[in-house]
Amino acid sequence: MKIDRKNGLTASEERLNSLARVFWSITIFSLIILSLFEWGGPRIVGIDPRYWRLIAEIMSVSLFFVYLTQQNPVKRILRLTPILVSFVVLLLWYYLRIVIFTDLTRPLVSTILMFVFFGAIGCRPWRNLDLRIISCITATLICYLFYRWIIDGMQLFSYVPFNWWNKNGTGYVFALSFPLVCIGRIHSKRKMEWISLTAAMIMCFILLTVSGARTAFISFCVGMGVYWFWPLISRNRSRFIVFGGIFMLLCLIYPFVYLSVLDLTEISSLKMLGYGVTSRKMVFLRSVEFWALSPVVGNGLGTLVPMFDGGASRTPHNTYLFVLVQTGVVGLSVYVYYLWSICFLLFRGAGDPLVRVCGAVFFGLLLYQTNDVVMMVSTLTMSLWAYFILGIGISRADEYRRKFSLSTQLRCQHSLKDSE
């Protein structure tokens, strides 16, 4: 009977373990795809689309519990200490805001589930087989959508089966699909598989381009730029701090700079273009004015920005303004620390090709958040999609760092023996 020295398992137990791991990967990713029907889509197997996301999050809660009950999970979880501290502080702050100012608990529950999902994905060791299967599923989906786009006369919104809510959401799903296919391409050892995944990446880029989602396209291009210059950016800690700090600062001040270069008299004359549709100029201006009413502690979790007196309220369409309006400077400071923690966890595995892809996605997300709410109190499916990719990157960065530390220890031992 053969025993795996690394895990202490027999060959049959190792095969069962691999099958269980692959099954979980396929299941959780399939649930994320099904939740893309969320916006006005049809019932699937009699279940309302919005509950597919909830099922995926509940599964991740169960998975997180499994990590906590396994032997020696502490070391792996402690490596996520900066992110976990951010989770706790943010949730505590949100709880206090709810108790003091509002009785809305849905944003709090949504935030908790989203963070637990991210933590579960980040703690889970991801193997190459898991990643290849997920990439193949994504590539198959992209090929199908591309085929539908061709036979329907190249009209994007006439074929999208998910009934996505607008071109921005549609475009960013394509932008996040590209790196998932790329991850499989990195680990592919078969020539035909490599060619197929490359073709799927090209199709994905074409669909992103024709979607007309400008912010998603720009964020994708910025992510590609970060990917190509990653060896230069991550060469040392100081260079990475400077780049990450400047990039994040530009994202934070974007709405204020945007307003400062516009004619504000023009904004006051803007009208609603339709139900639920406003100009970004109006949204940013009203958000800043509303934040100024309570700049330090914010106006309360779940609070929306009133666009007109007695009229509709909307989100700021900017994650940083969203956090600022609801939780003030205190909440935004914690959120920036949270993003910075993710950034540095990825930096620790900078030499791994997969982490390089996920790092590019992270910086693209930072930019995309200047025009939408994704990584915070968001029920949008693409928030899970984004956290799924970042969680894989953090998990691989942790493994890369441990392998690097182990190889360093071995070299030191060999050098000591040689000196003796």
Side-chain angles (χ1 to χ4, degrees), residues 151-283:
I151 65 173
D152 288 346
M154 299 186 179
Q155 296 296 318
L156 185 65
F157 289 100
S158 67
Y159 82 89
V160 174
F162 307 115
N163 195 20
W164 289 325
W165 57 107
N166 57 36
K167 64 181 182 181
N168 294 323
T170 303
Y172 205 65
V173 168
F174 291 138
L176 290 176
S177 298
F178 187 94
L180 279 178
V181 180
C182 181
I183 287 172
R185 182 174 175 269
I186 290 173
H187 295 98
S188 176
K189 296 180 179 179
R190 300 175 182 175
K191 186 175 181 180
M192 286 304 300
E193 182 180 347
W194 189 89
I195 294 174
S196 300
L197 292 176
T198 302
M201 290 170 64
I202 296 172
M203 295 177 193
C204 192
F205 179 76
I206 293 173
L207 291 175
L208 170 61
T209 304
V210 301
S211 70
R214 290 174 296 180
T215 304
F217 184 79
I218 293 173
S219 301
F220 174 82
C221 292
V222 168
M224 288 293 291
V226 172
Y227 176 82
W228 289 113
F229 288 101
W230 183 260
L232 183 65
I233 295 169
S234 61
R235 180 170 297 176
N236 56 60
R237 185 183 181 89
S238 299
R239 186 174 296 183
F240 192 78
I241 290 176
V242 172
F243 175 79
I246 293 176
F247 193 96
M248 198 172 295
L249 179 63
L250 291 175
C251 292
L252 290 172
I253 66 175
Y254 165 74
F256 301 96
V257 175
Y258 185 71
L259 290 174
S260 67
V261 298
L262 295 174
D263 183 4
L264 298 184
T265 58
E266 176 189 353
I267 297 178
S268 61
S269 64
L270 291 174
K271 303 297 182 183
M272 297 287 286
L273 303 177
Y275 181 75
V277 182
T278 61
S279 168
R280 283 291 191 273
K281 301 175 186 179
M282 177 68 78
V283 172

Side-chain angles (χ1 to χ4, degrees), residues 10-43:
T10 64
S12 60
E13 289 174 337
E14 178 62 24
R15 282 195 295 270
L16 289 174
N17 186 38
S18 299
L19 287 174
R21 188 175 63 243
V22 169
F23 175 77
W24 186 92
S25 302
I26 294 175
T27 302
I28 197 72
F29 189 65
S30 298
L31 288 172
I32 297 175
I33 293 177
L34 288 173
S35 62
L36 291 174
F37 288 83
E38 174 179 14
W39 289 83
R43 287 177 175 268

